[in-house]
Amino acid sequence: MRVRFWGTRGSIPVALTSADIRRKIERALVLALDKGVNTPEKLQSFIDNDLDFSILQTYGGHSPCVEIETGTGEFLACDMGSGARALGAHIMGHTWPGTAPVVNIVMSHVHWDHIMGFPFFAPAYVPGARLRIHGCHEVIEQAFRLQQSAPCFPVDFARLGANIEFVRLEPGKATEIAGYRVTPKLQRHTGDSYGYRFERDGKSLVYSTDSEHKLEDPAETAEFVEFFRDADLVIFDAMYSLLDAVSVKEDWGHSSNIVGVELAQMAGVRHLCMFHHEPAFNDERIQSVLNETIRFEELTRGERALRITAAYDGMELDV
Ligand SMILES: [Zn+2]
Ligand SMILES: [Zn+2]
């Protein structure tokens, strides 16, 4: 099971600024001076080995869109945030003009950051393409049509070339989608959101974004521990620091890195991937949250180590 992240930022897309790039170059050059890099060979090795992720790369700025490979010729994705534009180009590159793509989409909810990429999702414009948009909310079709209606967008939803079907799922009830057994779970979020557990060939993955976990209600905690139980990968909304999550941003509908680790440990999860990054955080800040989270896991580790990563646009994980 391969997972590809096309959008990992929460609430609104962001881009690197000129100031961000200048800061990365400055940090890299200061380190290079320190290390005495003065030949092309040393420079190559320095780039490969001495620069951390937040200097050399970027977490990226697209809002949520995560692809799960199916190996069947059909495509499967969670949410249609701004990352869906790049996913659409990827799908077209692997199908068109030979075949019209078949795409299954699973929606956590219809807040704007999770649907805004759809009007730029190329397969929606292809005659003969089939799009199945799954979700538990009654308003999904209305939300997709509304964001493409005048005066907000030039191409009305009704003019899209693809055959688009909306499929209603029921929380707690498993359904087969593109070869996966998919089970939705209601989550705490304004207007509700749903997490999804995907299972196939003894492997399991949970996509759980836009979900606030309080850990105050033992019954609710137990439900999520069961939902995450022994998952190979949990993609988790870790938008806030613990301090923010329990103070100024309580009831804003998102969770912290620390709560993510606690739930994952209780459930025996193998890999926790932090997702839906705060748009105000730069790469250094996200990396430092990741480092803190890894340290917290090491201090609280039980019998099994929990692998922790922070998602970035373009990341691929094999489950
Ligand atoms: Zn969101
Ligand atoms: Zn939301």
Side-chain angles (χ1 to χ4, degrees):
M1 199 188 288
R2 172 168 287 183
V3 182
R4 205 172 279 126
F5 292 82
W6 296 96
T8 56
R9 192 68 64 153
S11 302
I12 189 165
V14 292
L16 278 180
T17 63
S18 295
D20 293 330
I21 291 169
R22 188 189 166 99
R23 165 116 185 106
K24 282 175 192 279
I25 292 173
E26 267 175 20
R27 288 176 67 206
L29 292 178
V30 166
L31 274 175
L33 284 175
D34 252 18
K35 298 248 174 199
V37 174
N38 55 8
T39 66
E41 293 72 30
K42 282 186 189 169
L43 179 63
Q44 224 21 267
S45 152
F46 170 73
I47 291 172
D48 290 339
N49 305 310
D50 295 318
L51 292 178
D52 73 20
F53 184 94
S54 73
I55 298 177
L56 192 62
Q57 299 184 65
T58 181
Y59 289 96
H62 277 305
S63 72
C65 181
V66 176
E67 178 192 2
I68 302 169
E69 277 195 354
T70 72
T72 65
E74 291 192 10
F75 293 86
L76 172 61
C78 299
D79 285 338
M80 285 278 110
S82 68
R85 191 197 59 79
L87 168 63
H90 167 82
I91 291 173
M92 296 300 281
H94 284 79
T95 52
W96 199 249
T99 22
V102 178
V103 189
N104 296 276
I105 298 160
V106 174
M107 295 298 305
S108 63
H109 63 319
V110 292
H111 280 167
W112 197 23
D113 52 324
H114 297 256
I115 61 172
M116 57 169 51
F118 188 76
F120 302 91
F121 185 61
Y125 292 81
V126 176
R130 292 192 60 193
L131 272 54
R132 292 188 213 102
I133 302 175
H134 304 77
C136 300
H137 292 80
E138 202 184 337
V139 295
I140 291 182
E141 180 167 0
Q142 186 197 348
F144 273 78
R145 288 182 180 277
L146 193 64
Q147 77 163 345
Q148 272 186 254
S149 52
C152 293
F153 197 75
V155 184
D156 193 86
F157 189 91
R159 285 174 49 209
L160 294 172
N163 176 333
I164 303 172
E165 185 189 347
F166 289 87
V167 184
R168 186 93 180 263
L169 303 179
E170 221 178 282
K173 196 173 158 212
T175 314
E176 152 130 18
I177 302 174
Y180 286 92
R181 179 187 150 92
V182 182
T183 313
K185 161 112 186 70
L186 174 66
Q187 305 178 132
R188 184 194 296 271
H189 193 65
T190 311
D192 294 341
S193 73
Y194 293 87
Y196 294 91
R197 185 178 173 111
F198 296 84
E199 293 167 302
R200 191 176 78 179
D201 302 333
K203 296 279 184 181
S204 51
L205 175 170
V206 177
Y207 178 74
S208 174
T209 192
D210 296 63
S211 176
E212 182 167 0
H213 297 276
K214 291 180 177 276
L215 302 189
E216 284 163 357
D217 175 355
E220 189 182 296
T221 302
E223 272 182 30
F224 276 95
V225 168
E226 221 33 64
F227 186 54
F228 291 177
R229 176 70 67 201
D230 295 327
D232 295 286
L233 173 66
V234 173
I235 299 167
F236 186 81
D237 169 2
M239 192 172 186
Y240 302 143
S241 67
L242 182 63
L243 187 63
D244 281 349
V246 298
S247 58
V248 284
K249 291 176 180 171
E250 187 175 9
D251 298 325
W252 284 26
H254 300 280
S255 289
S256 80
N257 52 337
I258 301 303
V259 169
V261 171
E262 288 177 341
L263 278 173
Q265 285 172 332
M266 284 188 259
V269 170
R270 284 174 184 78
H271 181 172
L272 179 75
C273 180
M274 300 193 299
F275 184 72
H276 204 274
H277 305 303
E278 161 67 49
F281 286 4
N282 63 14
D283 290 322
E284 274 176 88
R285 182 83 187 268
I286 296 174
Q287 169 122 41
S288 87
V289 174
L290 172 62
N291 293 342
E292 276 168 23
T293 315
I294 290 170
R295 273 198 298 279
F296 177 76
E297 188 278 333
E298 286 166 356
L299 291 171
T300 56
R301 186 176 294 169
E303 280 169 21
R304 185 156 72 188
L306 169 66
R307 180 181 170 203
I308 297 171
T309 50
Y312 61 87
D313 296 5
M315 180 165 88
E316 291 186 0
L317 291 175
D318 284 315
V319 177

